[in-house]
Amino acid sequence: MKEGELESVPALETHDLSVAYHKKPVLYGVDLTIPKGQLVGIVGPNGAGKSTLIKAVMGLLPLRSGWVEVFGQPFKKTKTRVGYVPQRESVDWDFPVNVMDVVMMGRYGKLGLFRRPKKKDRDIARECLDKVKMLPFANRQISNLSGGQQQRVFLARALAQESDLYLMDEPFAGVDAATEAAIIELLKELKERGKTILVVHHDLTTAREYFDSMVLLNMRVVAFGPTEQVFTVEQLQKTYGGRLTLLSDVAGETERQLSGE
Amino acid sequence: MNDFIPAFDWTRVVIDPWAAQFESSFWIVLMGFLATAACGLIGNYLILRRMALVGDAISHSVLPGLAVAFLFSGSLQIGAMFAGAIVAGVLTTLLIELIHTKSRVKTDAAIGITFCSLFAIGVILINVFAGKIHLDTECVLYGEISYVPLESSVKWLGGAIELGPRPVVTMALVFLAVIALIVVFYKELLVCSFDPTLAASLGFSPKVFHYGLMVVLSVVVVSAFESVGAILVIAMLILPGATAQLLSPRLPVVMVLSVLAAALSSLLGYHLGVWMRCSIAGAMVVAAAALFLLVWIFSPEQGLLQRWRRARRVDDGGESRIEENNGYSS
C-alpha cells in the first residue's frame, strides 16, 4: 500500500473499455472495479479477450473507447506498481540468458533508463527465486527448465517487481501439480499482504476453489462478483454459450457442491 | 594441386604479407575485423529477435539512400553518407511494418517487397544520374577491401598524428560507438528482445529500441559497405553471432565470442584470399562460414558430435540429458 492513499481507491477500475483488432471488436464495454487485496480470476472461453483485457489495462493496445485507472491514476503514472506475468509460450526459451538474468528483468522498471542493477536488486531477485524454490537454479540456462520451472521463474520475476497489483496470464497452464499448488499458495500469501492479483484462468474445475471473486468474460463482462454468486451454471452457460456441453458437468458438480455442502 | 588452386606457398601466403607488405596487410585485416565485429555485435540482436532478414533488407535498401545523398551533397562525405543510410534504414523499417499491418501480406513477404524495390530504385538512380553519382555498382555490391590501404589517411592535430586510412578510422569509430551503445542500453535491449510485452509494461518502448537498432544497423552497414559490399555484409551480420551463440548460453559471453570470431575470420580470410588470389572480402566470409561449420560440429554443448554422442549414450541406457533436466519436478 502506498502511504496517503485512500483505502477505498480501487486497485483497478475500467470504464466502457473497448478494444478492436483490425476493426473486429475483441472487447467491448468492460466495466470493472476491483478493490484492493483481492484474488480475482478471469474466466472465459478461448478468444473471449482475457489476455487482451490484461494488455489493454497496461496500455499495450490502442483502446477504441473507455479508460483504465490503476490505483486511481492512469497506468502510465502507476506502472511501477504493476507486475506482469505473460503467457509462458510468449518468449523464446532458447534465449541466451540464465534464470537469474530473467528474474533481474523484474527490477528494470524500478531502475529506469541507464541505471544498472545493484547488489540490492540482486538480493531481492535471490529472495524471490527462493520464494518459488528456484534459488538452486539461479545459474541454469533457461532452455534447461521444465514447464513448471519456467513458470516459477516468471513468477519470481513478477515478485521482483515488488508491485501492488499483479496481472497474470494463465500462470497455471501446462505446469505440474506441485508447481500449481506452490503458485496458488504464493498468490494467497500475496493477497494476505494486501496485494491485488488478477489471474487469467482456464480450468473451471479449480477456479471456484482458487478465487475470491471472478470475472466471467466473453468479449464483454458476463458476470463479475464474489465467486459463490457468479460461478453458477446459468452464468457459465451465458459465458461459454453452446460450448458448455462438456463443461456443464463441471458446472453441475460445482452447483451441487455450492448448495449441498 | 591443379591449375585452379594455386600451390600453397608458405612464404607467399603467410610470411610475405607480414614482412614485405606489412602496412597494407595490417590495414586490410584491421578493416575486415572492425567491419565484421561491428556487424556481428548488432547481428546478435538481429538473430535473437528473429530479424536476420531485416538485416538483409537494410543492407540492400541503403543503396538508394546513398544515391540520393550523393545527388544532394555532390560528394560522398561521411555526414551525407550516414544521413542517407539512416533515412533509408528507417524508411525500410517503416515500409515493412506499413505493408505488414495494412494488408494481408505477411512480414517475410513485406520484407522482400520493400528491399528489392528500394534496391532497384537505387540502381535506376545510379544509372540515370551516372554523371552526378560516382558510385561504382560493382564496388557497392562486392566491396573492395584491398583498396583500403590506398585511401587517403586521416591526420590529427594538423598532421602530427597519422591515424590511418579514412574507411578504417570511420569503421573503428562506428565499432566503438556500437560497443558503447550496447553497454549503456544492455538491460533495455535485453528485455525488449526477450520479452517485448514486459518491456512495454515496464515503460521501455520496444518500438523506440527497435527503430534505434535499425538506425545503428544502417550506420554499421553503410560504413562496412565500401570494404565488404552489400552482399557480404549480410554474412557478417549473421555468421559471427550464429557461431558465438552455438558456443555459449550467456549473452555477454556471446558478445565477446562474436568479436573473437570476427578477428579470426578476418585474419584467416585474408590469408585465404592471398593464397587463392581472390576477393579478400569473399575469402573472409568463407573463413567465417568455415568457423561456423567447425563450431557447429565440435561445440562442447550443442555440437553435432556431442549431440550424436549423447543420443548414443541414451540408446545404451546410460545417464541421459533428459533425465537430468527433469530431475527437479516437485
Side-chain angles (χ1 to χ4, degrees):
Chain A
M1 288 304 108
K2 209 171 170 185
E3 269 177 61
E5 187 175 272
L6 287 174
E7 196 52 45
S8 58
V9 171
L12 175 66
E13 190 172 0
T14 70
H15 178 69
D16 188 30
L17 185 75
S18 299
V19 179
Y21 281 125
H22 299 292
K23 295 194 176 155
K24 235 173 83 188
V26 191
L27 276 181
Y28 42 75
V30 173
D31 287 309
L32 287 175
T33 305
I34 293 174
K36 291 174 190 164
Q38 287 228 7
L39 179 49
V40 184
I42 304 176
V43 173
N46 286 334
K50 302 182 297 276
S51 302
T52 305
L53 175 59
I54 281 190
K55 285 182 183 152
V57 165
M58 295 190 297
L60 303 179
L61 298 170
L63 302 185
R64 275 192 80 190
S65 72
W67 49 259
V68 176
E69 277 187 1
V70 176
F71 298 108
Q73 285 181 309
F75 175 80
K76 272 205 156 83
K77 285 193 175 160
T78 42
K79 62 174 185 274
T80 53
R81 296 178 67 188
V82 179
Y84 173 51
V85 177
Q87 284 187 22
R88 197 156 48 83
E89 307 87 63
S90 68
V91 305
D92 172 14
W93 290 93
D94 279 331
F95 208 88
V97 286
N98 64 21
V99 167
M100 190 66 181
D101 293 330
V102 175
V103 179
M104 284 301 278
M105 288 178 196
R107 301 300 303 158
Y108 289 1
K110 291 228 161 43
L111 285 166
L113 271 179
F114 302 116
R115 264 188 298 162
R116 279 163 182 283
K118 306 238 164 47
K119 188 177 172 295
K120 184 191 131 214
D121 300 298
R122 221 164 287 277
D123 291 341
I124 292 171
R126 274 178 182 290
E127 271 169 44
C128 298
L129 268 177
D130 198 31
K131 272 194 200 128
V132 297
K133 300 193 185 72
M134 284 292 287
L135 192 54
F137 293 79
N139 294 318
R140 175 92 52 120
Q141 157 69 16
I142 55 168
S143 58
N144 294 333
L145 299 174
S146 70
Q149 291 169 339
Q150 290 174 348
Q151 197 63 62
R152 285 162 188 243
V153 172
F154 263 6
L155 215 65
R157 181 175 75 177
L159 291 177
Q161 289 186 257
E162 296 189 315
S163 309
D164 297 321
L165 170 66
Y166 287 93
L167 306 172
M168 306 191 175
D169 204 344
E170 305 237 9
F172 299 109
V175 304
D176 50 289
T179 298
E180 177 144 359
I183 293 176
I184 195 67
E185 199 178 311
L186 196 75
L187 298 189
K188 288 191 167 146
E189 189 202 314
L190 282 173
K191 186 190 87 178
E192 264 149 41
R193 280 163 46 204
K195 313 285 186 187
T196 314
I197 309 133
L198 227 71
V199 181
V200 171
H201 194 57
H202 67 283
D203 183 6
L204 287 180
T205 49
T206 50
R208 192 183 74 90
E209 178 194 333
Y210 287 171
F211 305 112
D212 314 327
S213 53
M214 231 179 258
V215 179
L216 298 187
L217 193 73
N218 193 351
M219 293 170 83
R220 56 190 185 82
V221 177
V222 177
F224 167 52
T227 303
E228 57 270 25
Q229 286 172 27
V230 170
F231 205 69
T232 61
V233 176
E234 195 194 339
Q235 298 289 15
L236 287 172
Q237 292 274 18
K238 264 206 253 168
T239 314
Y240 285 82
R243 279 169 283 187
L244 196 67
T245 39
L246 210 154
L247 295 163
S248 62
D249 297 342
V250 173
E253 173 75 12
T254 312
E255 187 94 314
R256 238 172 290 128
Q257 282 176 1
L258 279 171
S259 54
E261 263 172 356
Chain B
M1 289 291 154
N2 56 34
D3 298 340
F4 297 107
I5 299 175
F8 186 83
D9 178 348
W10 181 264
T11 322
R12 183 178 74 80
V13 176
V14 182
I15 309 287
D16 279 355
W18 300 103
Q21 308 122 26
F22 176 79
E23 184 126 339
S24 74
S25 296
F26 175 75
W27 292 123
I28 291 173
V29 171
L30 185 63
M31 182 66 191
F33 162 67
L34 292 170
T36 315
C39 288
L41 285 176
I42 287 293
N44 267 311
Y45 286 105
L46 295 184
I47 299 171
L48 290 177
R49 298 161 70 94
R50 314 241 161 121
M51 285 172 19
L53 261 181
V54 177
D56 195 346
I58 287 189
S59 63
H60 280 78
S61 53
V62 157
L63 185 70
L66 286 183
V68 172
F70 220 124
L71 270 183
F72 275 109
S73 67
S75 69
L76 213 44
Q77 298 264 300
I78 186 158
M81 191 167 90
F82 281 0
I86 290 173
V87 170
V90 171
L91 187 71
T92 311
T93 320
L94 275 172
L95 275 177
I96 292 173
E97 211 166 88
L98 196 72
I99 295 176
H100 161 63
T101 51
K102 301 281 176 201
S103 77
R104 286 160 148 262
V105 178
K106 302 278 182 274
T107 322
D108 50 348
I111 291 173
I113 295 170
T114 309
F115 85 80
C116 290
S117 310
L118 286 174
F119 185 73
I121 291 174
V123 172
I124 292 178
L125 281 175
I126 292 174
N127 283 329
V128 172
F129 297 99
K132 285 184 194 149
I133 305 176
H134 302 284
L135 272 178
D136 179 359
T137 335
E138 192 101 324
C139 178
V140 166
L141 285 181
Y142 305 113
E144 201 32 273
I145 201 168
S146 317
Y147 295 162
V148 160
L150 307 177
E151 293 274 352
S152 59
S153 189
V154 176
K155 294 195 174 66
W156 217 25
L157 298 172
I161 305 170
E162 203 165 304
L163 286 174
R166 187 191 49 78
V168 182
V169 174
T170 310
M171 198 71 241
L173 291 176
V174 169
F175 173 58
L176 292 176
V178 167
I179 293 182
L181 285 170
I182 289 179
V183 169
V184 171
F185 292 109
Y186 178 78
K187 75 174 200 298
E188 289 80 4
L189 281 169
L190 183 68
V191 70
C192 287
S193 306
F194 177 65
D195 193 345
T197 325
L198 177 81
S201 82
L202 294 175
F204 306 119
S205 163
K207 227 177 187 153
V208 168
F209 283 93
H210 178 65
Y211 279 94
L213 200 64
M214 293 303 114
V215 164
V216 177
L217 175 65
S218 309
V219 169
V220 168
V221 161
V222 85
S223 26
F225 221 40
E226 291 176 278
S227 50
V228 296
I231 296 177
L232 298 183
V233 143
I234 304 160
M236 304 302 202
L237 283 170
I238 306 305
L239 277 169
T243 308
Q245 288 182 21
L246 282 182
L247 280 171
S248 171
R250 296 272 292 147
L251 192 55
V253 184
V254 165
M255 292 291 180
V256 174
L257 284 175
S258 38
V259 172
L260 206 70
L264 271 174
S265 314
S266 171
L267 188 67
L268 296 174
Y270 177 63
H271 288 289
L272 179 68
V274 172
W275 172 26
M276 306 293 274
R277 298 183 208 280
C278 65
S279 152
I280 301 232
M284 284 177 177
V285 172
V286 169
L291 272 183
F292 174 78
L293 192 68
L294 275 178
V295 167
W296 182 27
I297 296 172
F298 295 106
S299 165
E301 261 297 308
Q302 307 171 55
L304 283 178
L305 270 185
Q306 194 58 29
R307 275 168 185 252
W308 173 71
R309 220 183 276 164
R310 221 179 275 137
R312 221 178 49 160
R313 219 185 300 156
V314 176
D315 288 344
D316 292 347
E319 158 203 20
S320 80
R321 202 171 114 94
I322 302 150
E323 273 170 35
E324 182 203 319
N325 285 347
N326 293 348
Y328 184 88
S329 57
S330 58

